[in-house]
Amino acid sequence: MERPLSIATAVLSGFFVAAIMRINASLGEAIGLLEATFVVHLVGSIFALFLMARRLNRPLLRSVVATPLPLFAGGAIGVCIVWVGNWVIPKLGMAFSTGIVVVTTLFFSALADHYQWLGMPRFPMTRRRWVGLACAVAGTWLIYGRIA
Amino acid sequence: MIVLVLVTAVNGVLLSWSRLINAALGLRVGALPSSLINHLVGTVVAGLLLLVIRTGTVRFDLPLYYFCGGLLGVLVVCGWNYALPRIGNTFLAILVIGTQIGGSAVIDHFGLLGGAAFPISTSSITGLALLLIGAILAQARPQVTP
């Protein structure tokens, strides 16, 4: 039972990821790009706080205090990601923007695996992976053809 | 156009970095607390920037779902946290990318959720399929060489 439920959760979350990008961009068009970025993070903070209100205990706070400072940078990078997304999505459309981002993240993880960034185990490039990257680029190019 | 594409690509690199940082933070404090921390830090950073720059005017006469992006983002983190140990990283990533690609095409075609419509043609459906196939092929990690 847990496996089908996990698959359903994953499928639904993929739709949510797409919906979130478009909703945030629409909010950006309505109230301003940076204002929307602020609202998105504020609402997320309040909701996350609500979900874990009962788990805010000492051990958790201790582990947060012991966390190295650079690991808190994700939130700052997130501001940039939402801000830029709100700007480009109304111009490029969801499908093309998603294509570009998917291609970039695929190249990033291929490079990270091949050159062993961040001390992760090394996975050298394979022909299969090259073919995958080429397919993704060609696919995004075809989606772009619709806009051009 | 080329500027927009380059900026979006840089955003993709930033997204990859933030995923790595979030994974490291999540290992230390848990997925939901790490999402809370990221949203709090983001709120402070965006709030400080707003003191210096304004890009529009906040108003509330909008559909309620316009304000739900942050809430859905937290729900997605909870969902991945649940599914990841049960179906594994690769399968989860493929399911998410697949429905994300399909979902974005549907949103584009019908102009859903407050956006303008970008009609989907036959060639762009081919493009979406190629993108998904490419993502699946590039996802699969080869065996570790000794």
Side-chain angles (χ1 to χ4, degrees):
Chain A
M1 191 53 219
E2 283 198 340
R3 192 175 159 82
L5 198 58
S6 300
I7 292 173
T9 306
V11 166
L12 194 64
S13 74
F15 278 116
F16 275 10
V17 171
I20 290 164
M21 287 165 66
R22 185 60 251 187
I23 289 172
N24 292 347
S26 299
L27 186 62
E29 287 183 290
I31 69 170
L33 301 177
L34 185 55
E35 285 77 1
T37 307
F38 175 76
V39 170
V40 167
H41 284 89
L42 181 64
V43 171
S45 302
I46 295 169
F47 186 61
L49 203 56
F50 165 76
L51 285 185
M52 53 174 294
R54 287 182 184 176
R55 285 169 44 199
L56 285 172
N57 48 23
R58 265 171 197 284
L60 176 64
L61 287 177
R62 261 199 293 275
S63 66
V64 171
V65 171
T67 300
L69 206 55
L71 294 188
F72 291 96
I77 300 176
V79 167
C80 187
I81 293 170
V82 177
W83 192 351
V84 170
N86 289 354
W87 176 47
V88 298
I89 285 167
K91 295 178 166 62
L92 299 180
M94 284 293 302
F96 188 40
S97 321
T98 304
I100 299 168
V101 168
V102 168
V103 165
T104 324
T105 50
L106 292 179
F107 269 100
F108 182 92
S109 37
L111 284 170
D113 284 348
H114 187 79
Y115 292 106
Q116 209 176 353
W117 292 351
L118 303 150
M120 306 286 238
R122 180 161 188 265
F123 295 102
M125 275 302 278
T126 56
R127 193 188 299 165
R128 176 188 164 132
R129 207 161 190 179
W130 277 118
V131 172
L133 291 173
C135 279
V137 171
T140 305
W141 187 257
L142 278 177
I143 302 171
Y144 166 71
R146 173 203 61 188
I147 303 173
Chain B
M1 173 61 82
I2 194 77
V3 174
L4 289 173
V5 172
L6 286 176
V7 167
T8 311
V10 171
N11 222 24
V13 175
L14 289 179
L15 187 67
S16 305
W17 274 113
S18 75
R19 278 182 191 160
L20 289 173
I21 297 173
N22 291 348
L25 183 60
L27 279 179
R28 282 172 169 270
V29 300
L32 189 53
S34 109
S35 176
L36 172 61
I37 290 170
N38 282 331
H39 280 96
L40 283 175
V41 172
T43 309
V44 173
V45 170
L48 289 174
L49 285 170
L50 273 181
L51 295 176
V52 188
I53 336 164
R54 301 306 295 264
T55 56
T57 318
V58 176
R59 57 195 178 87
F60 296 97
D61 57 328
L62 298 165
L64 186 62
Y65 70 80
Y66 270 51
F67 297 95
C68 289
L71 186 152
L72 290 175
V74 174
L75 277 184
V76 165
V77 171
C78 297
W80 289 349
N81 192 33
Y82 171 77
L84 184 64
R86 292 173 176 83
I87 58 176
N89 206 347
T90 310
F91 192 31
L92 175 64
I94 289 170
L95 285 176
V96 170
I97 292 176
T99 45
Q100 189 189 347
I101 291 169
S104 59
V106 171
I107 292 171
D108 265 357
H109 189 72
F110 297 105
L112 303 178
L113 301 171
F118 289 78
I120 295 288
S121 65
T122 322
S123 74
S124 48
I125 290 178
T126 318
L128 293 161
L130 261 178
L131 178 62
L132 178 60
I133 293 168
I136 292 172
L137 288 176
Q139 279 289 327
R141 283 193 163 196
Q143 290 297 309
V144 190
T145 45

